Amino acid sequence: MSYVLAEIAEASGVIALLVCSIVLGHYAWYNMTHEAQVNSKSTIEILAFSAESLTFVYVGICTVTYSTDDISIGFMFFSIGIVMGSRFILIYIMYNLFKLCNPSRFVLR
């Protein structure tokens, strides 16, 4: 229904479905029995695990079938270094910001 209304209004049907699922997910969760909550949570975890597995299988297949003529080892190591360095810097900055906000939670034991 949300997709049809979005198409009639010439808006994005995908965004309409996303907003509808977020709203219904928030309100429907509290109206389900405990057993239904457990079952739906388990189903979503299985679907998420399956999607992640399929993604890694696809990446693996693409890596094996990729042409090695255009690969630059230097660029690959440079990219990995940039990603690891930026991750280290971001974690260091976020840790110190959280430590500033609540120093009692970040005490080394």
Side-chain angles (χ1 to χ4, degrees):
M1 185 69 167
S2 63
Y3 183 80
V4 172
L5 290 175
E7 287 297 319
I8 290 171
E10 296 181 3
S12 173
V14 174
I15 300 297
L17 287 174
L18 177 69
V19 170
C20 180
S21 64
I22 290 172
V23 170
L24 286 178
H26 177 71
Y27 290 111
W29 181 259
Y30 300 108
N31 293 325
M32 289 194 287
T33 64
H34 179 68
E35 183 180 345
Q37 287 178 347
V38 170
N39 288 338
S40 65
K41 186 174 181 180
S42 299
T43 303
I44 290 171
E45 287 176 358
I46 289 170
L47 291 173
F49 181 75
S50 300
E52 184 179 1
S53 299
L54 288 173
T55 301
F56 281 112
V57 165
Y58 179 72
V59 168
I61 289 172
C62 287
T63 302
V64 171
T65 60
Y66 190 73
S67 172
T68 59
D69 297 338
D70 300 332
I71 294 178
S72 170
I73 300 297
F75 180 71
M76 200 164 50
F77 284 123
F78 175 74
S79 298
I80 291 171
I82 291 292
V83 168
M84 297 299 281
S86 61
R87 184 165 173 88
F88 173 77
I89 290 169
L90 182 65
I91 289 173
Y92 181 74
I93 290 171
M94 294 303 292
Y95 172 76
N96 285 324
L97 283 175
F98 288 143
K99 194 170 146 182
L100 267 170
C101 294
N102 194 358
S104 63
R105 288 190 65 196
F106 294 96
V107 176
L108 294 176
R109 297 173 193 187

